[in-house]
Amino acid sequence: MIFQYQTVFFTRKYKMSIVLKIVSSVLNLFRVNGEINYVSLALVAGLLSLILVWFAIKKLTSKKGRNPFAQDTRRPPEPLETDLKARDKVLKNGFVAKKVPDNLDVIFIGSGIGSLSCAAMLAKAGKKVLVLEQHDQAGGCCHTFYEKGFEFDTGIHYVGEMVGNTVSKFLVDQLTDGQLQWSPLDPMYDEVVIGSSPEDAKSFPIMSSKEDYKNALLEKFPNEKKAIDKYFDMLQKCSRANVGQVLLKILPRMLCQFLISTGIIYWVTDYFKYSQRSLADVMEELTDNKDLRAILSYCFGDYGTPPKDASFALHATLVHHFMKGGYYPVGGASEIAMRFIPVIEKTGGSVLVRAPVKEILLDEEKGKVRGVRVAKSSGDVDIFAPLVVSGAGVYNTFEKLLPHPVEEKTSMLSSVRHGCGGISVYVGFNLSNDELEVVKGRNRWIFSNNELDQSFEEYRNMSVESVGEQDIPLLFLSFPSTKDPTWDDRFPGKSTCEVVSLASYDWFAKWKDGKVMHRGEDYEEIKQRIGKRMWEQVCRFHPNLKDKVEYFDVGSPLSNQYYIAASRGELYGADHNVDRFFPQSVFNLRADTSIKGLYLTGQDIFCCGFSGGLYGGVISACTILRRNLINDLLALRKQCKKQH
């Protein structure tokens, strides 16, 4: 045995000496009068790196699992299931040990869109998967809830690119067998309002096509054509370069580290030229007009990071995502999980709720995953599988679910910080959608002024005693009942409104260990104070709704912590600040881990939102199956185009 190891050692040592001789010989080729010509050397190094990347991609796809996109599985959509009991059988399938399928291939922790999309792809590749959800309903931020006869969505307010034959639409169609339908929002899907009241407010339209959006901006800012043109040019370039961050998530680790440490990654992709700049820095470079800066930055609430901290690349990707307008799932947000789950069940898999995973089980000797432990009052249940995929987020995974620190914990958690908490107001009316007197399918973003960073910073730093006594500087206003074409049939004579803003977790942290619905009068007073202030601001612009409220409730960061297991009440997982999108951080936030068989998925390994979580699922499935699934998807899409 000793001889064997010595042989390996000397063989490696010999190989290393050969490598060093080759490197020395190559350097001599670039010496001119004894000095190395570093420009020529850098050009050759860059070329060799590109060749290495090409070979790495080939190697990545050489060991292939089954192709989940081998055939087009779309079929005519079935009628919408509106019976709540029938829906509950799918969405609220409660955990008991006897429901766990035998011979599992993969266990998923969490049932957000990252887990559902990855699980559906693995199921289509022949894997038997089990998805475990700690809440009483599957879907994560895609779930809805019912109160007093009203239905409210919780995280899906609108989604981009769900039209025609876009890659994202085609992907969702394949993962739901064509059963998930989408309805377009109003052509002016967002309206940005700057001002605290209708008398002093200025309104700016956000339109559903690049041309209309651009023309609307030019109409409002005729002297800012140069800035607007440059902004749209940067959006296009950044969107095209987005593949750069994907490379650092799927290429072999050693190659990625080489590309980063040498700086060659900047030659391979332009993505990091944009990702390492803040949104505020780019805006200051483009224009001195504060209104225009605010309009071009308005949707930072969609990812929860103010312009001075937000990565421009993430912002550009989001804006480009909505260039074809906004779309809403027909039948409400819960239709997403409703249509993904049957695909998972086709190969014997299951999605079970009320199944809080308390620990990921490891084989310490072999350094690999064994399964998970589900906490139940009747006694913990251990479930075994060779692969475990955590969609619970990096903080929950590395701080709560693993029995002891692992190699990635430091690098993973040093790459991110907690995102900002969220607060939501849910309002129900005994009014039809027509009686609301609002534009159907349009969102409103209401800002108290055009100093977005300053206003948000002052708001976030308020004491818990004073918050809610002054206007909230950012409100997202949505009327979800007007977005769903099936609403009037499902809930005649009723309508809903939701108001969302950001909030500090620290305002509520002292009640984090309290029981939901029983946290006490002090907690309720703070929550209601903020919520009522938000609603009072909305009623300035919609005075006809002020006395029509039938149902009113407020969800705090602790609500997010309880219902979607957000570690500090975040709406969007880890913060989307500039540091998160540096090359090393992007590389650290990968699907694969040092523990054999343990993978990550969801928005923390890519970016937030429905599409961010969706493609987080794609990255995880690519890593697990060792296939370039995007190529597989594009090949199927091309084939379908020819056939039709």
Side-chain angles (χ1 to χ4, degrees):
M1 183 65 73
I2 294 174
F3 177 76
Q4 179 183 345
Y5 283 123
Q6 286 178 335
T7 303
V8 172
F9 172 77
F10 284 118
T11 302
R12 288 176 179 172
K13 186 175 180 180
Y14 176 73
K15 288 180 179 178
M16 182 57 69
S17 67
I18 294 296
V19 170
L20 290 174
K21 288 179 181 178
I22 292 173
V23 170
S24 177
S25 300
V26 170
L27 288 175
N28 286 331
L29 294 175
F30 294 95
R31 292 185 187 277
V32 179
N33 297 325
E35 298 291 330
I36 296 176
N37 186 332
Y38 287 103
V39 174
S40 300
L41 180 60
L43 289 173
V44 172
L47 178 61
L48 289 173
S49 297
L50 291 174
I51 294 171
L52 279 172
V53 169
W54 184 81
F55 274 111
I57 293 173
K58 294 289 287 183
K59 183 178 179 181
L60 178 72
T61 57
S62 63
K63 296 179 181 180
K64 296 183 178 180
R66 283 174 51 182
N67 179 8
F69 303 117
Q71 59 182 351
D72 184 7
T73 59
R74 292 174 297 178
R75 50 189 170 81
E78 297 174 357
L80 187 70
E81 179 59 75
T82 57
D83 181 73
L84 292 183
K85 289 184 178 180
R87 295 179 69 83
D88 285 352
K89 288 181 180 179
V90 179
L91 298 173
K92 297 184 177 183
N93 187 8
F95 176 90
V96 290
K98 65 181 181 181
K99 290 184 180 180
V100 174
D102 295 328
N103 302 316
L104 286 170
D105 295 305
V106 194
I107 299 171
F108 283 83
I109 304 171
S111 67
I113 187 59
S115 290
L116 290 178
S117 61
C118 185
M121 278 177 269
L122 297 187
K124 281 178 168 285
K127 305 289 186 183
K128 187 186 290 188
V129 304
L130 172 65
V131 181
L132 299 172
E133 169 59 47
Q134 58 94 29
H135 186 32
D136 66 1
Q137 182 178 168
C141 287
C142 302
H143 82 272
T144 59
F145 69 92
Y146 298 89
E147 288 290 347
K148 308 295 184 183
F150 298 98
E151 179 188 73
F152 295 97
D153 57 37
T154 56
I156 300 296
H157 305 301
Y158 56 149
V159 175
E161 299 184 33
M162 291 299 132
V163 60
N165 201 36
T166 63
V167 175
S168 295
K169 174 69 161 55
F170 189 75
L171 171 62
V172 172
D173 282 351
Q174 293 303 320
L175 297 183
T176 62
D177 293 345
Q179 299 305 294
L180 182 58
Q181 303 297 297
W182 300 86
S183 178
L185 271 59
D186 185 71
M188 185 202 297
Y189 62 91
D190 276 346
E191 178 187 11
V192 182
V193 178
I194 299 178
S196 57
S197 67
E199 293 75 29
D200 65 6
K202 292 178 281 188
S203 175
F204 303 89
I206 308 298
M207 306 302 294
S208 319
S209 73
K210 178 180 177 180
E211 184 178 351
D212 290 344
Y213 183 13
K214 195 172 182 179
N215 288 338
L217 286 173
L218 290 170
E219 185 176 332
K220 292 286 186 178
F221 303 97
N223 298 323
E224 296 288 342
K225 185 177 187 305
K226 183 178 178 181
I228 293 169
D229 284 345
K230 186 173 181 180
Y231 177 71
F232 277 83
D233 181 57
M234 292 178 76
L235 293 182
Q236 186 74 16
K237 288 179 178 177
C238 192
S239 178
R240 288 175 178 172
N242 199 30
V243 68
Q245 71 161 320
V246 178
L247 288 177
L248 292 185
K249 296 182 184 297
I250 62 173
L251 291 178
R253 284 179 172 270
M254 288 185 65
L255 174 58
C256 290
Q257 205 62 71
F258 170 75
L259 295 175
I260 294 168
S261 60
T262 59
I264 293 172
I265 188 63
Y266 294 99
W267 296 17
V268 174
T269 174
D270 286 337
Y271 178 79
F272 298 105
K273 296 176 183 177
Y274 298 102
S275 72
Q276 294 174 210
R277 300 190 64 192
S278 74
L279 174 59
D281 285 344
V282 173
M283 292 300 105
E284 289 173 9
E285 178 186 283
L286 287 177
T287 178
D288 294 327
N289 189 306
K290 290 187 177 182
D291 278 348
L292 180 57
R293 287 181 186 175
I295 301 310
L296 299 183
S297 307
Y298 84 95
C299 58
F300 78 86
D302 273 333
Y303 49 84
T305 307
K308 69 180 179 62
D309 298 325
S311 168
F312 177 74
L314 180 276
H315 182 83
T317 302
L318 175 72
V319 174
H320 197 270
H321 173 68
F322 284 106
M323 280 298 176
K324 297 180 184 293
Y327 297 82
Y328 193 78
V330 175
S334 62
E335 274 297 290
I336 295 170
M338 188 75 182
R339 300 304 185 176
F340 271 85
I341 290 173
V343 174
I344 294 167
E345 293 175 337
K346 272 186 179 179
T347 53
S350 187
V351 179
L352 302 177
V353 303
R354 297 190 295 279
V357 173
K358 65 181 291 186
E359 185 179 333
I360 296 171
L361 303 175
L362 303 179
D363 184 327
E364 304 287 353
E365 291 184 4
K366 297 182 179 179
K368 67 178 184 179
V369 78
R370 296 173 56 231
V372 301
R373 178 165 294 152
V374 176
K376 300 299 289 183
S377 59
S378 57
D380 295 347
V381 179
D382 289 352
I383 307 172
F384 301 101
L387 301 179
V388 171
V389 183
S390 176
V394 293
Y395 282 106
N396 284 330
T397 302
F398 290 101
E399 292 185 337
K400 297 179 181 179
L401 298 180
L402 287 167
H404 53 73
V406 295
E407 184 180 317
E408 285 92 348
K409 180 176 179 179
T410 301
S411 60
M412 280 274 188
L413 300 189
S414 66
S415 301
V416 294
R417 68 184 188 190
H418 288 284
C420 190
I423 191 161
S424 304
V425 176
Y426 303 97
V427 188
F429 312 97
N430 285 333
L431 299 172
S432 68
N433 282 325
D434 291 332
E435 292 172 319
L436 282 177
E437 300 178 20
V438 300
V439 178
K440 295 181 179 180
R442 180 181 296 175
N443 305 308
R444 261 186 159 177
W445 293 81
I446 303 174
F447 297 91
S448 54
N449 58 62
N450 60 17
E451 296 282 0
L452 305 188
D453 277 313
Q454 180 182 333
S455 298
F456 180 72
E457 196 67 22
E458 291 173 354
Y459 164 67
R460 186 165 56 179
N461 290 328
M462 281 184 175
S463 67
V464 68
E465 292 79 18
S466 60
V467 66
E469 299 295 340
Q470 302 174 34
D471 278 358
I472 312 301
L474 157 65
L475 298 179
F476 171 78
L477 176 61
S478 169
F479 294 90
S481 59
T482 71
K483 299 176 182 179
D484 176 18
T486 72
W487 177 276
D488 290 335
D489 292 333
R490 296 190 297 128
F491 302 99
K494 292 183 179 294
S495 53
T496 58
C497 173
E498 294 175 21
V499 195
V500 183
S501 190
L502 302 172
S504 172
Y505 177 78
D506 293 336
W507 297 335
F508 304 92
K510 66 182 291 185
W511 295 282
K512 65 182 176 65
D513 296 322
K515 189 176 180 181
V516 67
M517 303 290 191
H518 296 87
R519 292 194 173 102
E521 293 182 2
D522 290 345
Y523 167 76
E524 288 296 329
E525 189 276 326
I526 296 167
K527 189 175 73 166
Q528 293 296 321
R529 187 203 316 153
I530 300 172
K532 287 178 180 178
R533 186 72 184 205
M534 292 166 66
W535 182 240
E536 190 270 326
Q537 289 176 240
V538 169
C539 289
R540 296 176 201 167
F541 295 89
H542 297 276
N544 61 306
L545 301 179
K546 186 174 183 179
D547 300 321
K548 305 292 176 58
V549 175
E550 184 68 21
Y551 173 83
F552 186 92
D553 196 19
V554 183
S556 77
L558 297 189
S559 306
N560 300 329
Q561 192 174 54
Y562 177 78
Y563 291 109
I564 60 173
S567 52
R568 284 179 61 87
E570 306 94 333
L571 291 172
Y572 310 111
D575 194 33
H576 290 68
N577 60 324
V578 170
D579 289 349
R580 175 176 169 176
F581 294 93
F582 270 69
Q584 188 64 49
S585 298
V586 168
F587 167 69
N588 289 340
L589 298 169
R590 290 167 61 100
D592 55 326
T593 73
S594 63
I595 300 172
K596 186 177 180 181
L598 177 62
Y599 297 88
L600 308 176
T601 194
Q603 60 185 3
D604 279 1
I605 68 160
F606 193 54
C607 65
C608 68
F610 175 84
S611 292
L614 177 73
Y615 283 103
V618 173
I619 289 169
S620 303
C622 285
T623 307
I624 294 167
L625 294 174
R626 301 193 180 194
R627 289 191 68 101
N628 187 335
L629 297 183
I630 292 296
N631 276 0
D632 293 333
L633 182 73
L634 294 176
L636 179 61
R637 179 169 168 254
K638 183 177 180 180
Q639 177 186 326
C640 292
K641 276 185 178 180
K642 288 182 179 179
Q643 292 175 347
H644 298 288

